Amino acid sequence: MGGPVGRSSTPGERTRSRVRGADRLGRDESPHEGGGPGDDDAGPGGREASGDGRRAANDRRGHKAGARGRSSRRAPKSAKRRVLRWSASVLSVLILATGATGYLYYEHLNGNIKKEDLTLGDKQMADHKANAAGQTPLNILLIGSDARDSKANQKLGGAKETFGAAPLADVQMLLHISADRSNLSVISMPRDTMLKMPKCTAPDGEVFPASTVDVQTNQSLGRGGPGCTVATWYELTGIRIDHFMMIDFAGVVSMADAIGGVPVCVDANINSRGRDGKGSGLKLEKGTTSVKGEQALQWLRTRYGFEDNTDLGRAKAQHQYMNSMVRELRKGTKLTDPAKLMNLAEAATEALTVDKGLDTVKKLYDLAEEFKKVPTKRITMSTMPNVYGTGTNNGRVYPKAGDAEQLFRMVRDDIPLDGKASKRKKPEATKDPSAPVGEIAVAVRNGTATDALGPASGRASGVADQLKDAGFAKTTVDPGDVTGAARTAILYPSADLEGDAQAVAKALGVPLSQVKKSTDVSGISLAVGADWREDGTYPVSKGKEKTPESAGALNGDDEKACMKVNPNYTW
């Protein structure tokens, strides 16, 4: 990542050092009001370790991720110039056309990119269901690491006790591109969300057992790397993750400078610096301001000064910034200084860690091309619906029962969060006939438990009785497995049982999209999920699915969006 700021001898090196130094300005304080020690601006306080009584590195830096896509158009020939393009659609991800000379330089940039395993969990992620045209969606998890593992990073703030400690995933955003590429949905998960961690096995063989108590989600990164963050998302949401990009603020800052700034809005004068020293230092006048450089970093990490001074307000500010950045990029902004572009390419590739399926500039460019197909008016930003915890977890948040699952289900089923009709057709019934219902064996288990609630009593036996009433005489109840399932699912192990599984779904009114092939079962298994905690028929939503209001959806074309300033941080 280079040496200390100010020691570079070339323009590219000077830029890289400056950008890396600026990155650490992007760290912020503890998650929510009352979140405890760990504030960068409040002096020493350190990370908290979960489970064993030490507070687990919860509360600092809103290390916002801007991801970067890059690539080449075609293989260069000896005397020809290779053009590498940074595509502009992964929101704050690097996105413009950039020029660089020569195949060797292209390979150099490829060498800058760090690669890690996609998932470190022990559960195989379910495959996507293709739409009628054979298209499948794409899900990319953006991760912002708070690692303080260099002198340049450490010099710019934070308690010394945190230097060299395990990194935290302080920004987590899932980007979902619809199968038909007509719309894009984003779900931000607050960094202080409390949940159960899955078992993760690090690349070096170290095993991190599944947690038995609630753990703050940003700790997942310290359990072997970004692959554990991916596994944690899958455990909670059931959403297949195709790729991840782990980044820092450096690319966002460079991009904001390169395009001349990103317009943001506040509804009052803001000064994010309280008497106790807490705050990012952001100072803006009421109205719209174009921010870049350090000021862009301050905007992205500001918590004290927006809304209720929590990470939830910060997430909204980050959404506003990202939408505005995409709009600016799509206005046709061009980068014309080759030296500046090379510096940008260097800084971005050195800051990026991806899964092994995105290990070249070409692959990143191809991914960015998929993002470019989505118009800004079909981009929807949202935050996972949540509720505050109590007791020792006061100030932390939990997924909001019902609303959070609804949001996850819409993404799983490729339903647009903007409420507009999708071109996707409903899954079709298999042409293979089912066996007579009396001969179909079904094992039913109670998976209604959530992070906040235990399993609803008697749900497996209740649903089993419904099946028996429908003629499924070989239905049994699995009394042992009460592992939580966000939504009801019917799993089958092989194609010859797909018709039987669909017959079970039809008898209960469960959508065919929730019938999945899985190697985790040996026969037809029905998991009664948290979406069916009450007695009665399966609660299929009527009419058009709607994004819960608690998700705080923001449309990519909303140029009137303006952050509400906390009255205690005005001037």
Side-chain angles (χ1 to χ4, degrees), residues 129 427-434 492 495-503 506 512 515:
K129 277 277 189 178
E428 297 180 358
T430 179
K431 295 180 180 179
D432 294 330
S434 69
Y492 61 93
D496 60 313
L497 291 179
E498 183 176 12
D500 294 357
Q502 289 192 355
K506 291 176 183 177
L512 292 184
V515 177

Side-chain angles (χ1 to χ4, degrees), residues 16-204:
R16 291 194 296 279
S17 288
R18 176 181 56 80
V19 171
R20 284 190 211 100
D23 171 52
R24 275 311 142 302
L25 294 175
R27 301 181 178 270
D28 198 17
E29 322 85 3
S30 61
H32 286 298
E33 192 68 33
D39 284 345
D40 283 353
D41 298 311
R47 309 179 172 223
E48 306 172 306
S50 70
D52 62 358
R54 291 181 309 159
R55 307 275 314 185
N58 305 340
D59 303 333
R60 26 205 94 48
R61 303 138 324 253
H63 194 67
K64 182 64 235 103
R68 314 167 233 313
R70 24 182 136 7
S71 87
S72 65
R73 292 184 180 174
R74 60 174 58 87
K77 296 185 179 179
S78 57
K80 289 188 176 182
R81 183 173 198 166
R82 186 178 182 94
V83 177
L84 298 174
R85 299 187 60 194
W86 299 78
S87 217
S89 288
V90 190
L91 310 172
S92 66
V93 184
L94 282 180
I95 336 177
L96 282 176
T98 177
T101 56
Y103 179 70
L104 290 178
Y105 187 66
Y106 170 72
E107 287 301 308
H108 164 71
L109 292 181
N110 282 342
N112 285 348
I113 302 171
K114 295 175 287 294
K115 307 95 177 173
E116 295 198 27
D117 293 335
L118 174 62
T119 178
L120 300 179
D122 57 359
K123 289 186 178 179
Q124 183 176 351
M125 289 188 283
D127 291 333
H128 289 300
K129 277 277 189 178
N131 63 12
Q135 302 165 308
T136 55
L138 271 171
N139 295 320
I140 297 91
L141 185 64
L142 301 184
I143 304 169
S145 168
D146 83 334
R148 296 185 177 215
D149 50 4
S150 70
K151 290 183 179 179
N153 291 342
Q154 296 166 0
K155 187 177 180 180
L156 289 165
K160 292 183 179 180
E161 293 83 357
T162 69
F163 292 177
L168 300 174
D170 269 354
V171 173
Q172 300 175 37
M173 288 185 171
L174 179 70
L175 279 62
H176 170 83
I177 316 176
S178 66
D180 60 12
R181 306 303 188 254
S182 68
N183 63 90
L184 185 150
S185 302
V186 178
I187 300 177
S188 287
M189 185 183 296
R191 64 177 180 175
D192 51 353
T193 299
M194 304 300 291
L195 41 71
K196 300 290 192 302
M197 292 281 175
K199 174 185 176 182
C200 290
T201 303
D204 62 4

Side-chain angles (χ1 to χ4, degrees), residues 219-382:
Q219 293 181 47
S220 59
L221 190 57
R223 293 166 55 86
C228 193
T229 305
V230 169
T232 301
W233 267 79
Y234 185 68
E235 183 84 5
L236 175 67
T237 69
I239 298 171
R240 176 183 176 84
I241 309 294
D242 298 292
H243 299 292
F244 72 77
M245 291 178 166
M246 186 170 71
I247 45 192
D248 54 33
F249 275 128
V252 179
V253 175
S254 297
M255 201 61 192
D257 283 338
I259 65 175
V262 172
V264 294
C265 177
V266 288
D267 69 354
N269 295 346
I270 181 174
N271 183 10
S272 179
R273 182 69 71 191
R275 294 177 180 176
D276 55 5
K278 294 179 178 178
S280 68
L282 179 71
K283 188 173 184 179
L284 296 175
E285 293 183 356
K286 176 181 178 180
T288 300
T289 304
S290 183
V291 297
K292 59 181 180 179
E294 181 178 340
Q295 200 171 43
L297 281 172
Q298 291 172 339
W299 175 274
L300 290 167
R301 73 185 181 98
T302 293
R303 176 166 75 86
Y304 291 102
F306 286 150
E307 300 194 346
D308 60 352
N309 294 335
T310 70
D311 196 46
L312 304 179
R314 172 160 48 198
K316 291 182 182 180
Q318 292 167 351
H319 293 167
Q320 184 187 133
Y321 179 92
M322 289 178 170
N323 280 340
S324 182
M325 187 176 209
V326 172
R327 292 194 300 268
E328 289 299 299
L329 291 168
R330 291 192 176 183
K331 287 178 181 178
T333 306
K334 301 296 180 182
L335 300 178
T336 57
D337 183 346
K340 193 171 185 179
L341 293 174
M342 290 175 70
N343 292 337
L344 180 60
E346 289 282 355
T349 52
E350 288 182 354
L352 184 64
T353 299
V354 298
D355 67 275
K356 294 174 182 177
L358 290 177
D359 58 355
T360 68
V361 171
K362 174 64 167 62
K363 291 177 182 178
L364 289 166
Y365 170 72
D366 290 342
L367 176 62
E369 287 296 292
E370 296 301 304
F371 279 93
K372 286 175 64 177
K373 296 175 183 177
V374 180
T376 55
K377 65 182 179 181
R378 297 300 310 279
I379 295 175
T380 305
M381 300 276 185
S382 69

Side-chain angles (χ1 to χ4, degrees), residues 401 448-455 533:
T448 58
T450 69
D451 286 325
L453 301 170
R533 291 178 60 88

Side-chain angles (χ1 to χ4, degrees), residues 192-196 214-217 393 396-399 451:
D192 51 353
T193 299
M194 304 300 291
L195 41 71
K196 300 290 192 302
D214 292 327
V215 179
Q216 190 162 301
T217 183
N393 288 325
R396 308 293 185 249
V397 300
Y398 287 85
D451 286 325

